[in-house]
Amino acid sequence: MENQEILNFKVEEEFEGKRIDQFLASVYPEFSRSYFQKLIKDGFVLKEENKIKKPSVKVKKGDTYSLIIPPVEEVSIEPENIPLDIYFEDRDIAVIYKPPNMVVHPSPGHTSGTVVNALLYHFKNVSEFGGRERAGIVHRLDKDTAGLMVIAKSEFAHKELQKQFQDRTVEKKYKAIVSGIVKNDYGKIDLPIGRSIYNRKKMGTEATNLRDALTEYWVEKRFEEHNLTIVDIKLHTGRTHQIRVHFSATGHPLLNDRVYGFKKSYLKTEKAKKISEKYNYHALVSYKLGFKHPRNEKYMEFKLNQFPEIFKEINNL
């Protein structure tokens, strides 16, 4: 097991009674449950130095586990006939909607069913400027985050769009459902973000290599009875997990975002708790995307015509 990364973690109360594979997939959503099932069967998950062999083992509050991350394997990336909601397409770019629970590009545990697999099937030409495993991908959304993405079909478009994101000229608007009642109707969260010093799979404000991060928000609706708030968000920077980290740092983790501190106990009503249990993704969507077309420099703006189901149900509370 030399030269392999080992992660140690303790089970919190909210995960009491869950299967070990379910627990791991909740803590590390970037990896699939099937990936953890394989790691468990291969002896890469230990409890007090004893290998866990069955994914069905139930965890208890206070249990301490070690997860050994094996070396990354080569991934074969194949086109797949996965439905794509295409908002726009020409020879240089496409704008698509990524649903929740869909990974953007292949990685260990997610070798198929990704946005990249779908792009390679649906489009005759997709830029491989960033490598085939990131074909067409200029920016990314987390697995659980739904929303609009601009795709580069040509290498020229890829480079030009990349520059716009680096220069922060791309308009990005999000909506999120956060726990608790956000008091101010308007605010800015200006907290640097980096790789968490406690868990390298997470980002945080107590971190290494901190970089500036600015999030602007407006309260859209408060649900006092249920202890939830819907906020409209504008990103001024594009740090990994920025919205999730920022709202967690202010005491308002996103609904269902257990990685960054959400607990079902934050919800005050059974109605809200049932909605939370029904959906296995956090309540965040990129609903507006604006940028200059890389070839003719004409400003283009796209808005979602339909939001994920979790937003509809909370709005109807």
Side-chain angles (χ1 to χ4, degrees), residues 72-78 103-108 110-111 114-120 126-138 140 158:
V72 177
E73 299 176 1
E74 288 288 327
V75 177
S76 176
I77 304 161
E78 303 296 334
V103 175
V104 169
H105 54 74
S107 63
H110 291 288
T111 56
T114 73
V115 171
V116 167
N117 295 107
L119 297 178
L120 292 172
V126 182
S127 167
E128 294 190 19
F129 175 67
R132 186 173 174 82
E133 71 278 3
R134 285 172 169 74
I137 304 302
V138 181
R140 64 184 294 277
H158 202 134

Side-chain angles (χ1 to χ4, degrees), residues 29-31 98-105 110 115 137 139-149 174 195 201-203 235 238-245 254 257 259-260 281-282 284-286:
E30 60 266 45
F31 298 116
K98 186 194 87 66
N101 287 327
M102 188 176 192
V103 175
V104 169
H105 54 74
H110 291 288
V115 171
I137 304 302
H139 63 119
R140 64 184 294 277
L141 296 174
D142 296 336
K143 175 192 171 188
D144 286 356
T145 303
L148 295 169
M149 295 182 66
Y174 293 75
R195 186 66 59 183
K201 293 294 181 183
K202 294 171 63 175
M203 307 299 287
L235 283 185
R239 307 302 176 211
T240 301
H241 300 177
Q242 179 172 323
I243 292 172
R244 300 166 63 190
V245 171
L254 272 60
D257 190 359
V259 173
Y260 287 104
Y281 56 86
H282 55 239
L284 178 63
V285 59
S286 170

Side-chain angles (χ1 to χ4, degrees), residues 15-292:
F15 296 108
E16 174 88 34
K18 277 199 170 188
R19 288 168 51 118
I20 181 68
D21 58 335
Q22 289 178 315
F23 167 66
L24 290 171
S26 297
V27 176
Y28 301 108
E30 60 266 45
F31 298 116
S32 67
R33 187 171 162 188
S34 60
Y35 173 67
F36 286 118
Q37 288 172 350
K38 185 176 186 306
L39 288 188
I40 292 165
K41 290 174 182 176
D42 290 344
F44 287 104
V45 179
L46 298 85
K47 181 183 178 183
E48 297 175 355
E49 299 185 0
N50 297 313
K51 293 180 180 178
I52 303 295
K53 283 294 185 179
K54 294 182 179 180
S56 59
V57 168
K58 302 292 178 66
V59 301
K60 296 180 181 178
K61 178 187 175 183
D63 284 352
T64 301
Y65 290 90
S66 297
L67 172 65
I68 301 168
I69 305 295
V72 177
E73 299 176 1
E74 288 288 327
V75 177
S76 176
I77 304 161
E78 303 296 334
E80 293 180 41
N81 186 9
I82 301 167
L84 266 187
D85 191 353
I86 302 169
Y87 277 59
F88 176 84
E89 179 189 2
D90 66 12
R91 64 172 176 152
D92 285 305
I93 66 170
V95 175
I96 67 165
Y97 168 71
K98 186 194 87 66
N101 287 327
M102 188 176 192
V103 175
V104 169
H105 54 74
S107 63
H110 291 288
T111 56
S112 63
T114 73
V115 171
V116 167
N117 295 107
L119 297 178
L120 292 172
Y121 179 91
H122 286 279
F123 300 124
K124 184 178 179 181
N125 297 308
V126 182
S127 167
E128 294 190 19
F129 175 67
R132 186 173 174 82
E133 71 278 3
R134 285 172 169 74
I137 304 302
V138 181
H139 63 119
R140 64 184 294 277
L141 296 174
D142 296 336
K143 175 192 171 188
D144 286 356
T145 303
L148 295 169
M149 295 182 66
V150 58
I151 303 301
K153 295 179 67 180
S154 68
E155 187 172 318
F156 169 80
H158 202 134
K159 292 177 180 177
E160 291 296 316
L161 287 169
Q162 209 169 56
K163 188 175 186 301
Q164 290 187 48
F165 277 95
Q166 289 170 352
D167 293 343
R168 303 179 183 177
T169 59
V170 177
E171 177 85 0
K172 294 175 286 185
K173 295 291 292 289
Y174 293 75
K175 285 193 191 297
I177 306 171
V178 303
S179 54
I181 302 302
V182 178
K183 293 180 180 179
N184 297 327
D185 291 340
Y186 167 78
K188 289 182 179 180
I189 306 171
D190 188 358
L191 290 172
I193 290 174
R195 186 66 59 183
S196 172
I197 59 177
Y198 303 109
N199 184 338
R200 69 167 299 277
K201 293 294 181 183
K202 294 171 63 175
M203 307 299 287
T205 54
E206 295 183 38
T208 57
N209 300 317
L210 286 168
R211 302 174 70 187
D212 66 297
L214 177 62
T215 302
E216 191 174 11
Y217 69 86
W218 297 260
V219 168
E220 185 174 292
K221 190 174 182 180
R222 296 181 179 91
F223 299 85
E224 300 273 357
E225 179 186 355
H226 309 285
N227 201 37
L228 291 168
T229 305
I230 296 182
V231 287
D232 194 56
I233 300 163
K234 180 177 180 179
L235 283 185
H236 292 273
T237 50
R239 307 302 176 211
T240 301
H241 300 177
Q242 179 172 323
I243 292 172
R244 300 166 63 190
V245 171
H246 270 176
F247 277 93
S248 177
T250 58
H252 298 287
L254 272 60
L255 173 63
N256 280 4
D257 190 359
R258 291 174 175 83
V259 173
Y260 287 104
F262 172 79
K263 296 181 180 180
K264 194 171 68 173
S265 59
Y266 292 165
L267 305 176
K268 290 184 176 179
T269 64
E270 287 304 314
K271 285 184 179 180
K273 290 177 181 179
K274 285 181 180 178
I275 293 173
S276 171
E277 291 171 353
K278 185 176 178 181
Y279 298 101
N280 62 341
Y281 56 86
H282 55 239
L284 178 63
V285 59
S286 170
Y287 76 92
K288 180 180 175 183
L289 189 61
F291 54 90
K292 287 184 179 179

